[in-house]
Amino acid sequence: MRIKLLAMSACLGLILLLGACSGQDNSNSSAPAGSNAVQASPGAVQSSPGAVQASPSPAQEPASAAPSPQAGAFPRTIKDANGELTIKEAPKKVAVVHWGYGDAILLFDLPSLALALPFTEKQSVLHTDSYKPYVDRLPELRIIGENTLVNLEALLAYEPDLIIAGNAINKDIQAELKKIAQTVVIDEQTTDVWSDWASVVTKFSEILGQEETAKRFIAGYQAQLQAAKEKLADLDETVAFVQVRENAVWLQGTQYLKHYYEGMGLKPPASGDMEKGAQISLEGLSVVNPDHLFLGYFNYSDKSIPALTDQWEGTAVWNMLKAVQNKHVYGINGELALGYGPIGNSYGVQAILEALDH
């Protein structure tokens, strides 16, 4: 059996997406479940038949961003993991060498951007509909790292005005980075991209002098969550999410997906693995046995790559699942929805709402 097909209102989603990006002052978002870092690092992608293809809908935001200096003003002195540094003027060429920061930096207006990606460019989410409005508006985008390794030669050739790094992910190359350009090293414990993308977006806005952009997006996302929660208020059935890889399936824990379970008011199945998540077999999934099951494919946009659940479908155990029997199985882009960035999470909220709100 194949996954339930849900048609998406692409035009409406795109309008919402672009609305979120508009009006950005020239000061202007996967680690993952189970073991959060291992499970949610983006992997390969593939489009499965019948998959939920939520239109992009990055929210239009605020939450309180702490404006360092006066919003948009330079020079500005900011704190990073190594103390304080002064950025003399708004950077025109920004290089982000932490592979987990790509989602967040795309929210901002930049003339030129260089990115390190978690995997190859071909496998990345840069080509998805959710990312397209952000990527297309960039006058220049360079890739300076793939498979978590920063290409220092490519970075040097890019000639950035400013480099943004993480004190853990990029700890071994900090000295080299600082020789290339001024480098802001973000404290990854204080500003945790894996569990709190809003803090990363806020920090970026402080670095770039684009505080209002961060405020708008964060506020818009919170409004998106609240609206979804209200629409699903009468849903009393259980919902589970699994991350689907080629050779493994991971049950996503409520602790990691708090923004969906608490933010949207979703009810998890009663299972000892539900809080932290775990790698799971088909038999283990039959014990969890949710009323609604989201398959978060990490091969969502590349049909040539298999998914382990392809082998499960059609088996007796699979067909006994409540979600399968009631046609409540939904395929979504796991690299986006089960990741950890603002763009991906906005896609996730919309995809989940469109699947459940019927």
PDB file of all heavy atoms in Angstrom, residues 10-11 13 31 51 62-63 70 89 100 113 161 174 184 192 198 212 214 218 231 236 240 252 285 306:
ATOM      1  N   ALA A  10      -0.184  25.110  -3.313  1.00  0.00           N
ATOM      2  CA  ALA A  10       1.152  25.634  -3.512  1.00  0.00           C
ATOM      3  C   ALA A  10       1.171  27.144  -3.634  1.00  0.00           C
ATOM      4  O   ALA A  10       2.039  27.812  -3.112  1.00  0.00           O
ATOM      5  CB  ALA A  10       1.774  25.025  -4.758  1.00  0.00           C
ATOM      6  N   CYS A  11       0.214  27.669  -4.338  1.00  0.00           N
ATOM      7  CA  CYS A  11       0.220  29.121  -4.535  1.00  0.00           C
ATOM      8  C   CYS A  11       0.069  29.862  -3.222  1.00  0.00           C
ATOM      9  O   CYS A  11       0.780  30.799  -2.930  1.00  0.00           O
ATOM     10  CB  CYS A  11      -0.903  29.529  -5.480  1.00  0.00           C
ATOM     11  SG  CYS A  11      -0.626  28.933  -7.155  1.00  0.00           S
ATOM     12  N   GLY A  13       0.714  28.769  -0.255  1.00  0.00           N
ATOM     13  CA  GLY A  13       1.905  28.590   0.569  1.00  0.00           C
ATOM     14  C   GLY A  13       3.023  29.506   0.138  1.00  0.00           C
ATOM     15  O   GLY A  13       3.729  30.069   0.948  1.00  0.00           O
ATOM     16  N   ALA A  31      20.064  19.416  16.016  1.00  0.00           N
ATOM     17  CA  ALA A  31      20.204  18.084  15.396  1.00  0.00           C
ATOM     18  C   ALA A  31      19.027  17.286  15.763  1.00  0.00           C
ATOM     19  O   ALA A  31      18.282  17.610  16.571  1.00  0.00           O
ATOM     20  CB  ALA A  31      21.445  17.426  15.879  1.00  0.00           C
ATOM     21  N   ALA A  51       3.102  11.346  -1.062  1.00  0.00           N
ATOM     22  CA  ALA A  51       3.660  12.080   0.056  1.00  0.00           C
ATOM     23  C   ALA A  51       2.999  13.430   0.204  1.00  0.00           C
ATOM     24  O   ALA A  51       2.537  14.016  -0.749  1.00  0.00           O
ATOM     25  CB  ALA A  51       5.149  12.277  -0.171  1.00  0.00           C
ATOM     26  N   PRO A  62       8.224  37.963  15.422  1.00  0.00           N
ATOM     27  CA  PRO A  62       8.852  38.595  16.474  1.00  0.00           C
ATOM     28  C   PRO A  62       9.426  38.163  17.698  1.00  0.00           C
ATOM     29  O   PRO A  62      10.417  38.615  17.943  1.00  0.00           O
ATOM     30  CB  PRO A  62       8.019  39.637  16.955  1.00  0.00           C
ATOM     31  CG  PRO A  62       7.097  39.855  16.203  1.00  0.00           C
ATOM     32  CD  PRO A  62       7.171  38.737  15.199  1.00  0.00           C
ATOM     33  N   ALA A  63       8.927  37.554  18.445  1.00  0.00           N
ATOM     34  CA  ALA A  63       9.463  37.186  19.734  1.00  0.00           C
ATOM     35  C   ALA A  63      10.561  38.138  20.072  1.00  0.00           C
ATOM     36  O   ALA A  63      11.133  38.790  19.274  1.00  0.00           O
ATOM     37  CB  ALA A  63      10.043  35.809  19.670  1.00  0.00           C
ATOM     38  N   GLN A  70      21.972  49.619  18.593  1.00  0.00           N
ATOM     39  CA  GLN A  70      20.749  50.099  17.972  1.00  0.00           C
ATOM     40  C   GLN A  70      20.518  49.296  16.700  1.00  0.00           C
ATOM     41  O   GLN A  70      21.437  49.061  15.924  1.00  0.00           O
ATOM     42  CB  GLN A  70      20.870  51.589  17.658  1.00  0.00           C
ATOM     43  CG  GLN A  70      19.597  52.178  17.084  1.00  0.00           C
ATOM     44  CD  GLN A  70      19.748  53.663  16.830  1.00  0.00           C
ATOM     45  OE1 GLN A  70      20.789  54.225  17.128  1.00  0.00           O
ATOM     46  NE2 GLN A  70      18.722  54.280  16.288  1.00  0.00           N
ATOM     47  N   GLU A  89      31.171  47.313   9.827  1.00  0.00           N
ATOM     48  CA  GLU A  89      30.105  47.672   8.885  1.00  0.00           C
ATOM     49  C   GLU A  89      29.319  46.439   8.492  1.00  0.00           C
ATOM     50  O   GLU A  89      29.780  45.311   8.682  1.00  0.00           O
ATOM     51  CB  GLU A  89      30.690  48.350   7.648  1.00  0.00           C
ATOM     52  CG  GLU A  89      31.707  47.521   6.911  1.00  0.00           C
ATOM     53  CD  GLU A  89      32.344  48.283   5.756  1.00  0.00           C
ATOM     54  OE1 GLU A  89      32.216  49.527   5.728  1.00  0.00           O
ATOM     55  OE2 GLU A  89      32.950  47.630   4.890  1.00  0.00           O
ATOM     56  N   GLY A 100      24.947  23.272  10.352  1.00  0.00           N
ATOM     57  CA  GLY A 100      23.590  23.315  10.867  1.00  0.00           C
ATOM     58  C   GLY A 100      22.931  24.685  10.812  1.00  0.00           C
ATOM     59  O   GLY A 100      21.750  24.821  11.115  1.00  0.00           O
ATOM     60  N   LEU A 113      26.262  34.983  -0.140  1.00  0.00           N
ATOM     61  CA  LEU A 113      26.319  34.019   0.965  1.00  0.00           C
ATOM     62  C   LEU A 113      27.081  32.787   0.528  1.00  0.00           C
ATOM     63  O   LEU A 113      26.910  32.290  -0.587  1.00  0.00           O
ATOM     64  CB  LEU A 113      24.898  33.634   1.389  1.00  0.00           C
ATOM     65  CG  LEU A 113      24.759  32.565   2.484  1.00  0.00           C
ATOM     66  CD1 LEU A 113      25.336  33.079   3.807  1.00  0.00           C
ATOM     67  CD2 LEU A 113      23.285  32.180   2.663  1.00  0.00           C
ATOM     68  N   ASP A 161      33.628  38.820   3.890  1.00  0.00           N
ATOM     69  CA  ASP A 161      33.833  39.927   4.829  1.00  0.00           C
ATOM     70  C   ASP A 161      33.716  39.413   6.261  1.00  0.00           C
ATOM     71  O   ASP A 161      34.333  39.957   7.175  1.00  0.00           O
ATOM     72  CB  ASP A 161      32.758  41.009   4.636  1.00  0.00           C
ATOM     73  CG  ASP A 161      32.758  41.581   3.238  1.00  0.00           C
ATOM     74  OD1 ASP A 161      33.850  41.726   2.668  1.00  0.00           O
ATOM     75  OD2 ASP A 161      31.671  41.851   2.709  1.00  0.00           O
ATOM     76  N   GLN A 174      39.168  26.927  13.839  1.00  0.00           N
ATOM     77  CA  GLN A 174      38.965  28.323  14.233  1.00  0.00           C
ATOM     78  C   GLN A 174      40.149  29.215  13.870  1.00  0.00           C
ATOM     79  O   GLN A 174      39.971  30.331  13.364  1.00  0.00           O
ATOM     80  CB  GLN A 174      38.682  28.426  15.732  1.00  0.00           C
ATOM     81  CG  GLN A 174      37.250  28.115  16.110  1.00  0.00           C
ATOM     82  CD  GLN A 174      36.949  28.489  17.556  1.00  0.00           C
ATOM     83  OE1 GLN A 174      37.361  29.550  18.035  1.00  0.00           O
ATOM     84  NE2 GLN A 174      36.235  27.625  18.253  1.00  0.00           N
ATOM     85  N   VAL A 184      32.959  35.306  13.683  1.00  0.00           N
ATOM     86  CA  VAL A 184      32.103  35.252  14.869  1.00  0.00           C
ATOM     87  C   VAL A 184      31.924  33.783  15.212  1.00  0.00           C
ATOM     88  O   VAL A 184      31.398  33.006  14.406  1.00  0.00           O
ATOM     89  CB  VAL A 184      30.734  35.900  14.606  1.00  0.00           C
ATOM     90  CG1 VAL A 184      29.850  35.779  15.862  1.00  0.00           C
ATOM     91  CG2 VAL A 184      30.883  37.360  14.211  1.00  0.00           C
ATOM     92  N   ASP A 192      21.684  27.202  20.947  1.00  0.00           N
ATOM     93  CA  ASP A 192      21.629  25.795  20.552  1.00  0.00           C
ATOM     94  C   ASP A 192      20.751  25.576  19.325  1.00  0.00           C
ATOM     95  O   ASP A 192      19.524  25.542  19.412  1.00  0.00           O
ATOM     96  CB  ASP A 192      21.103  24.965  21.727  1.00  0.00           C
ATOM     97  CG  ASP A 192      21.128  23.476  21.430  1.00  0.00           C
ATOM     98  OD1 ASP A 192      21.634  23.088  20.364  1.00  0.00           O
ATOM     99  OD2 ASP A 192      20.646  22.695  22.267  1.00  0.00           O
ATOM    100  N   ALA A 198      15.249  29.600  17.300  1.00  0.00           N
ATOM    101  CA  ALA A 198      14.936  31.022  17.492  1.00  0.00           C
ATOM    102  C   ALA A 198      16.125  31.769  18.087  1.00  0.00           C
ATOM    103  O   ALA A 198      16.361  32.945  17.752  1.00  0.00           O
ATOM    104  CB  ALA A 198      13.704  31.178  18.380  1.00  0.00           C
ATOM    105  N   GLU A 212      14.773  43.269  13.068  1.00  0.00           N
ATOM    106  CA  GLU A 212      13.355  43.192  12.748  1.00  0.00           C
ATOM    107  C   GLU A 212      13.006  41.941  11.948  1.00  0.00           C
ATOM    108  O   GLU A 212      11.916  41.386  12.076  1.00  0.00           O
ATOM    109  CB  GLU A 212      12.909  44.447  11.981  1.00  0.00           C
ATOM    110  CG  GLU A 212      12.840  45.697  12.852  1.00  0.00           C
ATOM    111  CD  GLU A 212      11.961  45.490  14.072  1.00  0.00           C
ATOM    112  OE1 GLU A 212      10.838  44.966  13.915  1.00  0.00           O
ATOM    113  OE2 GLU A 212      12.400  45.844  15.175  1.00  0.00           O
ATOM    114  N   ALA A 214      14.354  38.961  12.292  1.00  0.00           N
ATOM    115  CA  ALA A 214      14.228  37.864  13.253  1.00  0.00           C
ATOM    116  C   ALA A 214      12.916  37.966  14.016  1.00  0.00           C
ATOM    117  O   ALA A 214      12.207  36.968  14.196  1.00  0.00           O
ATOM    118  CB  ALA A 214      15.408  37.895  14.226  1.00  0.00           C
ATOM    119  N   ILE A 218      10.017  34.953  13.843  1.00  0.00           N
ATOM    120  CA  ILE A 218       9.714  34.215  15.072  1.00  0.00           C
ATOM    121  C   ILE A 218       8.254  34.417  15.470  1.00  0.00           C
ATOM    122  O   ILE A 218       7.543  33.473  15.819  1.00  0.00           O
ATOM    123  CB  ILE A 218      10.665  34.636  16.213  1.00  0.00           C
ATOM    124  CG1 ILE A 218      12.092  34.213  15.879  1.00  0.00           C
ATOM    125  CG2 ILE A 218      10.223  34.002  17.532  1.00  0.00           C
ATOM    126  CD1 ILE A 218      13.145  34.803  16.791  1.00  0.00           C
ATOM    127  N   LYS A 231      -6.898  24.723  15.245  1.00  0.00           N
ATOM    128  CA  LYS A 231      -7.607  23.918  14.246  1.00  0.00           C
ATOM    129  C   LYS A 231      -7.636  22.431  14.612  1.00  0.00           C
ATOM    130  O   LYS A 231      -8.557  21.711  14.230  1.00  0.00           O
ATOM    131  CB  LYS A 231      -6.959  24.099  12.872  1.00  0.00           C
ATOM    132  CG  LYS A 231      -7.231  25.459  12.260  1.00  0.00           C
ATOM    133  CD  LYS A 231      -6.645  25.553  10.850  1.00  0.00           C
ATOM    134  CE  LYS A 231      -6.963  26.905  10.225  1.00  0.00           C
ATOM    135  NZ  LYS A 231      -6.397  27.022   8.852  1.00  0.00           N
ATOM    136  N   ASP A 236      -8.367  13.916  19.079  1.00  0.00           N
ATOM    137  CA  ASP A 236      -8.037  13.183  20.303  1.00  0.00           C
ATOM    138  C   ASP A 236      -7.307  11.878  19.992  1.00  0.00           C
ATOM    139  O   ASP A 236      -7.142  11.034  20.858  1.00  0.00           O
ATOM    140  CB  ASP A 236      -9.323  12.887  21.091  1.00  0.00           C
ATOM    141  CG  ASP A 236      -9.017  12.419  22.504  1.00  0.00           C
ATOM    142  OD1 ASP A 236      -8.056  12.946  23.099  1.00  0.00           O
ATOM    143  OD2 ASP A 236      -9.708  11.507  22.986  1.00  0.00           O
ATOM    144  N   ALA A 240       2.232   9.850  15.684  1.00  0.00           N
ATOM    145  CA  ALA A 240       3.658   9.514  15.812  1.00  0.00           C
ATOM    146  C   ALA A 240       4.386   9.891  14.533  1.00  0.00           C
ATOM    147  O   ALA A 240       3.816   9.893  13.437  1.00  0.00           O
ATOM    148  CB  ALA A 240       3.839   8.027  16.105  1.00  0.00           C
ATOM    149  N   GLN A 252      10.596   9.420  16.463  1.00  0.00           N
ATOM    150  CA  GLN A 252      10.974  10.747  16.925  1.00  0.00           C
ATOM    151  C   GLN A 252      10.317  11.065  18.263  1.00  0.00           C
ATOM    152  O   GLN A 252       9.100  10.958  18.411  1.00  0.00           O
ATOM    153  CB  GLN A 252      10.575  11.796  15.881  1.00  0.00           C
ATOM    154  CG  GLN A 252      11.128  11.520  14.495  1.00  0.00           C
ATOM    155  CD  GLN A 252      12.637  11.669  14.416  1.00  0.00           C
ATOM    156  OE1 GLN A 252      13.164  12.750  14.188  1.00  0.00           O
ATOM    157  NE2 GLN A 252      13.352  10.572  14.607  1.00  0.00           N
ATOM    158  N   LEU A 285       7.240  -0.687  15.915  1.00  0.00           N
ATOM    159  CA  LEU A 285       6.231   0.278  15.492  1.00  0.00           C
ATOM    160  C   LEU A 285       4.833  -0.259  15.737  1.00  0.00           C
ATOM    161  O   LEU A 285       3.918   0.498  16.101  1.00  0.00           O
ATOM    162  CB  LEU A 285       6.420   0.611  14.010  1.00  0.00           C
ATOM    163  CG  LEU A 285       5.491   1.660  13.411  1.00  0.00           C
ATOM    164  CD1 LEU A 285       5.617   3.000  14.152  1.00  0.00           C
ATOM    165  CD2 LEU A 285       5.775   1.848  11.924  1.00  0.00           C
ATOM    166  N   PRO A 306      16.457   4.102  -1.921  1.00  0.00           N
ATOM    167  CA  PRO A 306      15.386   3.360  -1.249  1.00  0.00           C
ATOM    168  C   PRO A 306      15.127   3.863   0.168  1.00  0.00           C
ATOM    169  O   PRO A 306      15.923   4.609   0.734  1.00  0.00           O
ATOM    170  CB  PRO A 306      15.908   1.924  -1.223  1.00  0.00           C
ATOM    171  CG  PRO A 306      17.390   2.077  -1.238  1.00  0.00           C
ATOM    172  CD  PRO A 306      17.684   3.303  -2.064  1.00  0.00           C
TER     173      PRO A 306
END
